[in-house]
Amino acid sequence: MSVTKSHHNLDVVHHGIVLISDENSTSRSSRLLLSKDELCIQVIDDGTAEPEEAKETLMENATRQVVIVKKPDSGFGLSIKVSGGNHMKMDLNIIQGGSENAQNMPIVISKIFKGLPADECGELFIGDAIVEVNGVSIEGQSHDEVVNMLKSSGDQVTLGVRHFTHMTPFLKPAQSLQPDSTLDQLFDGRSSRSNKAQSESRFSDSKWQQHIGGQEKKWKTLTSLPLAMAYVTRYLWGTDNIRTNSFEVRAVDGRSSGIVHCEDTAALEQWIAHISKHILSLNHKSIKMSNKYLHQSEQISYIGWVNEYLNDDDQEELKIRWQPRFLILKGSDVCFFDVPPLNSEDLNKCVYLYKCYDVAVKQVPNTSPRRDKRDNCFLIETPMQIPNHYLSFESAAGFELFEQAYYRTVYNTITQMQSRTFACNFEGRPSGIVFDIKQGISLYDIPTKSYIWQYRFRDLQAVADDGKLCVQLSFTDDRSLNPDRIEVKDIECEDVVTVVFNLHSFVLAKIVSTDPDYLKSNRYVGNAED
């Protein structure tokens, strides 16, 4: 069922009754509410909710006045940190919001330091948004203007704050998407929480009702998962076993929806389509937000989850063969992360980093031999002495989205680079093989300081290499004396794989500039055992 309902300024775009189970197959009837930025899990209110639950729900919408007083010879103990990397020492982190924020995000407290005034007052929490400074609303104020308001407050400041629970997961240190115990509350009959930072989401005071057996039922919210950079999968964790009419959503902080069991395939496809659409939309907004603070040469063009096949034999006993990776195309870089980077510092903490022109992306067709039953597989081949990355997307559309972003990344990088030269030997003479986006492929003879041959990229017919030292280039040449008008050039170079991958990248960029549709039906194809 796809409807739009407004509740406390939220648009619920899809909802329905499902069964949710944990890893032990214990299941419970639940209701899912999907908004543009959250997936909310509710169960029928059986009266076991803790009294404090209602108080914390009210805290979500109420503005609280908090007074912070400076200590002698110290400040308020605040440190305001701008998301793009700017930093101002005030001993309390606040991510950037304000009028310069394209997503209209509030200025939210991300960290409170122990022993400082903000901590000792006991009334500020992670997830609190500053809405007033000394009784003056900050609505419409820029981040810098709010900083100046705090600085000019004297020895005491009164902050009007409001709790935004849906922001809290993004302000905590990122965790890997490993199975956790967050589903315990779904099966113990009550909704527990350890502190106010885990209070109910914006859906928590929902009074939506359902008639079951002639009686009116009320629902209570157990948890809400933010969809930005979330991960949705139909596979049993770490395996190639696909669940029947079931899926799972994992938030950026590692919390899980549990296994969501749908009534039939049609319902399953609806849920996955709706959730994936909003994850994609939020990821796109995250890209735009991040790019505001990145240099033009470091712009992000793609973010998303992919699964990597593990080559570690130690995982065989656990039957875990696949691990989620967060993939980012940034500037000319292909970056692999275990968890999504949530700030500029995290962007430098990737597990693997390659230049887009130093790798080759090859699709593994579903009709070809694969390593197991997972579909939508592809290879990222590298010139390094490590196994190639064997990866899988949840859907064909996911791979196509990445593939098109990769093509654009290569094209933009190569057009900015213009040319690359690699040292080599040709016919026993020291030379340089030159790839130039405008001039094509040429060979520079070092002793004579001259170019001895040159071809256009479209003249290139075949490339072959031994993976060690030699690469062979075959060109169409109307001047050739050979009957087939093919000229073969044998070149020796130390890093032959890098040379070949760079040549592929230049050819790819040339194709994108002239006939991008050609690549949709003429992909690089790899073998699962490459």
Side-chain angles (χ1 to χ4, degrees):
M1 182 189 309
S2 179
V3 297
T4 299
K5 294 191 177 183
S6 180
H7 181 68
H8 287 274
N9 299 320
L10 287 176
D11 290 328
V12 176
V13 297
H14 197 65
H15 69 92
I17 306 299
V18 297
L19 284 177
I20 295 183
S21 67
D22 60 3
E23 298 296 334
N24 299 318
S25 298
T26 305
S27 62
R28 183 172 180 179
S29 180
S30 308
R31 181 169 69 172
L32 298 185
L33 301 178
L34 177 67
S35 75
K36 294 179 179 179
D37 55 7
E38 286 184 340
L39 179 66
C40 172
I41 300 176
Q42 295 184 328
V43 295
I44 294 175
D45 190 349
D46 55 7
T48 60
E50 300 175 359
E52 186 65 22
E53 192 172 57
K55 297 180 183 178
E56 293 180 356
T57 295
L58 292 175
M59 188 180 75
E60 182 75 24
N61 297 315
T63 298
R64 310 181 330 269
Q65 300 296 321
V66 180
V67 178
I68 307 176
V69 181
K70 285 184 180 179
K71 288 183 175 181
D73 302 323
S74 71
F76 290 121
L78 307 177
S79 175
I80 295 179
K81 182 179 180 182
V82 179
S83 179
N86 297 330
H87 186 272
M88 187 164 293
K89 185 66 177 176
M90 295 184 77
D91 301 327
L92 183 147
N93 286 342
I94 300 180
I95 68 172
Q96 176 160 350
S99 61
E100 66 267 73
N101 189 334
Q103 290 182 281
N104 294 318
M105 293 171 62
I107 296 178
V108 182
I109 296 175
S110 63
K111 189 173 182 180
I112 298 175
F113 295 90
K114 292 184 178 179
L116 298 177
D119 172 55
E120 292 181 344
C121 74
E123 298 182 56
L124 292 176
F125 305 93
I126 292 175
D128 281 346
I130 298 176
V131 296
E132 294 176 356
V133 176
N134 291 328
V136 179
S137 172
I138 68 168
E139 183 177 357
Q141 300 290 321
S142 70
H143 179 267
D144 290 342
E145 288 171 334
V146 175
V147 170
N148 291 331
M149 293 173 70
L150 292 172
K151 282 185 172 181
S152 61
S153 295
D155 294 334
Q156 177 175 305
V157 64
T158 301
L159 299 180
V161 295
R162 184 178 300 162
H163 195 70
F164 281 75
T165 309
H166 66 287
M167 292 296 300
T168 304
F170 300 99
L171 308 176
K172 295 179 178 179
Q175 304 171 11
S176 62
L177 294 184
Q178 295 300 317
D180 57 23
S181 58
T182 58
L183 291 179
D184 290 347
Q185 59 179 326
L186 183 62
F187 304 105
D188 65 6
R190 53 188 297 166
S191 177
S192 62
R193 53 172 61 90
S194 59
N195 53 52
K196 290 184 180 180
Q198 294 173 311
S199 62
E200 296 291 26
S201 80
R202 296 171 291 173
F203 288 113
S204 61
D205 59 350
S206 173
K207 294 296 187 281
W208 289 9
Q209 300 168 345
Q210 180 185 18
H211 288 81
I212 299 178
Q215 296 183 349
E216 197 175 70
K217 302 294 183 180
K218 294 183 179 180
W219 296 87
K220 65 179 181 180
T221 296
L222 291 184
T223 188
S224 288
L225 304 178
L227 295 179
M229 293 183 285
Y231 170 71
V232 58
T233 180
R234 289 190 60 194
Y235 287 96
L236 186 65
W237 191 261
T239 75
D240 62 340
N241 298 321
I242 200 165
R243 299 184 175 103
T244 303
N245 295 335
S246 305
F247 68 93
E248 178 184 8
V249 178
R250 300 224 173 188
V252 69
D253 61 354
R255 289 182 299 140
S256 171
S257 65
I259 313 306
V260 180
H261 302 268
C262 301
E263 182 179 2
D264 51 34
T265 302
L268 170 72
E269 292 176 350
Q270 276 194 343
W271 272 113
I272 291 181
H274 280 289
I275 293 172
S276 299
K277 173 185 175 181
H278 293 297
I279 291 175
L280 185 61
S281 176
L282 291 169
N283 287 355
H284 180 66
K285 290 181 179 179
S286 296
I287 290 174
K288 291 180 64 177
M289 184 67 181
S290 298
N291 284 343
K292 289 176 60 177
Y293 305 103
L294 294 173
H295 188 271
Q296 188 64 34
S297 64
E298 297 181 338
Q299 295 285 292
I300 296 173
S301 60
Y302 175 86
I303 63 174
W305 286 101
V306 67
N307 276 273
E308 180 171 15
Y309 187 84
L310 299 176
N311 294 287
D312 187 357
D313 292 336
D314 293 338
Q315 298 288 341
E316 183 63 32
E317 294 181 3
L318 301 175
K319 304 301 181 183
I320 301 297
R321 301 303 301 173
W322 293 89
Q323 177 178 346
R325 300 283 197 195
F326 197 74
L327 194 58
I328 293 182
L329 299 180
K330 174 178 172 286
S332 60
D333 297 333
V334 180
C335 312
F336 289 79
F337 295 85
D338 283 334
V339 296
L342 299 183
N343 53 54
S344 56
E345 293 179 359
D346 289 348
L347 277 173
N348 299 319
K349 299 178 182 178
C350 54
V351 180
Y352 300 104
L353 173 67
Y354 308 103
K355 292 298 181 182
C356 63
Y357 45 79
D358 284 339
V359 301
V361 174
K362 297 182 178 180
Q363 184 191 35
V364 179
N366 291 339
T367 55
S368 300
R370 290 164 288 154
R371 297 187 182 179
D372 59 15
K373 295 181 292 184
R374 285 217 182 202
D375 292 331
N376 310 308
C377 298
F378 66 104
L379 289 160
I380 293 185
E381 297 183 341
T382 77
M384 302 176 65
Q385 296 300 316
I386 60 174
N388 294 320
H389 298 279
Y390 186 84
L391 306 163
S392 170
F393 277 100
E394 292 288 329
S395 66
F399 172 71
E400 290 176 2
L401 185 67
F402 164 77
E403 185 181 43
Q404 293 303 313
Y406 171 74
Y407 290 161
R408 291 194 304 272
T409 298
V410 171
Y411 170 76
N412 292 333
T413 301
I414 296 299
T415 51
Q416 292 177 13
M417 184 187 304
Q418 291 291 305
S419 67
R420 287 202 80 184
T421 302
F422 296 89
C424 64
N425 282 290
F426 178 69
E427 296 181 346
R429 296 172 64 86
S431 309
I433 183 75
V434 181
F435 307 138
D436 188 285
I437 193 63
K438 295 180 179 179
Q439 303 298 325
I441 307 168
S442 56
L443 190 93
Y444 183 79
D445 183 67
I446 294 178
T448 62
K449 298 181 179 180
S450 62
Y451 290 93
I452 59 176
W453 52 258
Q454 181 177 352
Y455 292 94
R456 299 166 298 184
F457 285 111
R458 66 184 182 186
D459 295 330
L460 182 65
Q461 297 298 304
V463 180
D465 68 89
D466 61 1
K468 298 178 181 178
L469 186 64
C470 299
V471 58
Q472 185 179 83
L473 307 178
S474 301
F475 298 98
T476 299
D477 191 342
D478 293 336
R479 301 164 297 180
S480 176
L481 300 178
N482 297 323
D484 55 5
R485 294 292 190 268
I486 297 294
E487 284 290 319
V488 177
K489 307 296 185 182
D490 292 310
I491 300 169
E492 295 181 352
C493 47
E494 291 185 359
D495 199 353
V496 64
V497 177
T498 299
V499 171
V500 171
F501 286 172
N502 273 260
L503 176 55
H504 284 173
S505 295
F506 273 83
V507 172
L508 183 65
K510 196 67 176 180
I511 294 173
V512 170
S513 67
T514 56
D515 186 14
D517 290 337
Y518 174 84
L519 293 170
K520 295 180 180 179
S521 56
N522 295 273
R523 291 186 169 112
Y524 287 133
V525 175
N527 186 283
E529 300 305 321
D530 284 355

